[in-house]
């Protein structure tokens, strides 16, 4: 109820009439929507991964690409969304393939910056699967930038996190990048990494 009251106040502050017909149930709907979009705070990653680790004798690269994700930028509470690509090279264990999009969701359904989201996914796989290497690349559109018309050329951002073999071996890294065939070209990726920012926070 407290959140619904806050939303009603927000609507009034925006110059709206929270009592008009179209907005009457909006506080309830917004509360429910935000509850879902931030449900990652209450998810237990251990439970998500429960019984999903298998011992194998396999050490080729495992890739799950084009995982759709939707998150909220913590600077503006506006969506950023796109594709996530994950790869790892097993040492002794693999993780059930369906669990990787679940891991992405757990961290995406929070207030985020794209860089941290990318790192959290990579770190979780590193820490639970203990692979020879793990790589995560995320490509996203940030509505806080494209809708507001700022930095249009950078509203599409690419971030990456590489550990182990993907960090140490240029060949392994290139093999992964070739397999996921980014929609963007090289220079954009370098720019995004150099800028180190997936959205402009200061306005
Ligand atoms: Zn933002």
């Amino acid at each position: 109820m407290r959140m619904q009251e806050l939303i009603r106040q927000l609507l009034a502050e925006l110059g709206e009439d929270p009592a008009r017909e179209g907005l009457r149930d909006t506080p309830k709907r917004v509360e429910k929507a935000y509850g879902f979009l931030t449900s990652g705070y209450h998810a237990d990653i251990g439970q998500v991964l429960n019984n999903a680790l298998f011992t194998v004798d396999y050490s080729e690269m495992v890739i799950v690409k084009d995982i759709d994700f939707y998150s909220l930028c913590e600077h503006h509470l506006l969506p950023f969304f796109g594709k996530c690509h994950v790869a790892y090279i097993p040492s002794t264990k693999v993780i059930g393939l369906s669990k990787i999009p679940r891991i992405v969701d757990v961290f995406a359904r929070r207030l985020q910056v794209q860089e941290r989201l990318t790192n959290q996914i990579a770190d979780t796989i590193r820490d639970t699967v203990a692979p020879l290497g793990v790589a995560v690349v995320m490509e996203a559109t940030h509505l806080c930038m494209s809708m507001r018309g700022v930095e249009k050329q950078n509203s599409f951002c690419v971030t990456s996190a590489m550990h182990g073999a993907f960090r140490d071996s240029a060949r392994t890294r290139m093999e992964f990048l070739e397999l996921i065939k980014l929609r963007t070209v090289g220079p954009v990726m370098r720019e995004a990494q150099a800028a180190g920012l997936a959205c402009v926070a200061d306005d």
Side-chain angles (χ1 to χ4, degrees):
M1 263 348 237
R2 211 174 119 71
M3 172 123 46
Q4 292 183 32
E5 184 47 39
L6 289 169
I7 310 285
R8 256 187 295 277
Q9 284 175 27
L10 174 66
L11 290 169
E13 284 295 321
L14 293 173
E16 268 291 357
D17 170 13
R20 76 173 168 84
E21 194 186 352
L23 294 178
R24 214 174 293 150
D25 290 331
T26 295
K28 201 176 5 174
R29 286 188 290 253
V30 172
E31 180 180 36
K32 198 174 166 203
Y34 271 121
F36 176 75
L37 297 175
T38 60
S39 57
Y41 287 120
H42 311 293
D44 177 350
I45 199 79
Q47 207 171 349
V48 168
L49 302 179
N50 195 24
N51 299 325
L53 289 171
F54 308 98
T55 303
V56 288
D57 184 16
Y58 180 82
S59 58
E60 298 300 316
M61 192 183 296
V62 176
I63 297 191
V64 183
K65 59 183 222 171
D66 293 327
I67 302 166
D68 288 314
F69 75 92
Y70 298 86
S71 190
L72 288 173
C73 137
E74 69 181 17
H75 301 136
H76 301 95
L77 303 188
L78 286 171
F80 67 95
F81 56 92
K83 301 277 186 194
C84 176
H85 315 288
V86 174
Y88 69 96
I89 301 172
S91 164
T92 56
K93 286 188 177 110
V94 294
I95 185 170
L97 284 181
S98 67
K99 297 293 180 175
I100 289 179
R102 294 287 313 281
I103 295 172
V104 173
D105 281 344
V106 164
F107 292 107
R109 288 175 187 160
R110 300 176 184 197
L111 304 185
Q112 280 288 9
V113 293
Q114 190 178 327
E115 295 87 337
R116 185 174 64 225
L117 173 57
T118 308
N119 284 328
Q120 286 174 332
I121 296 163
D123 291 352
T124 298
I125 294 169
R126 181 194 59 196
D127 297 345
T128 55
V129 188
L132 298 175
V134 57
V136 176
V137 168
M138 303 189 90
E139 320 168 71
T141 298
H142 289 249
L143 291 189
C144 63
M145 293 164 80
S146 46
M147 281 183 83
R148 298 187 310 144
V150 291
E151 305 260 338
K152 266 212 161 79
Q153 69 278 20
N154 283 331
S155 63
F156 186 80
C157 291
V158 182
T159 48
S160 66
M162 309 265 174
H163 294 301
F166 291 91
R167 183 181 282 267
D168 301 337
S169 160
R171 236 185 88 196
T172 303
R173 193 164 55 242
M174 286 316 294
E175 186 187 341
F176 168 57
L177 294 174
E178 179 61 28
L179 284 163
I180 62 174
K181 286 204 194 312
L182 291 178
R183 278 184 289 152
T184 45
V185 290
V188 175
M189 182 156 173
R190 282 199 294 277
E191 271 166 37
Q193 284 175 331
L197 279 173
C199 95
V200 180
D202 51 1
D203 67 342

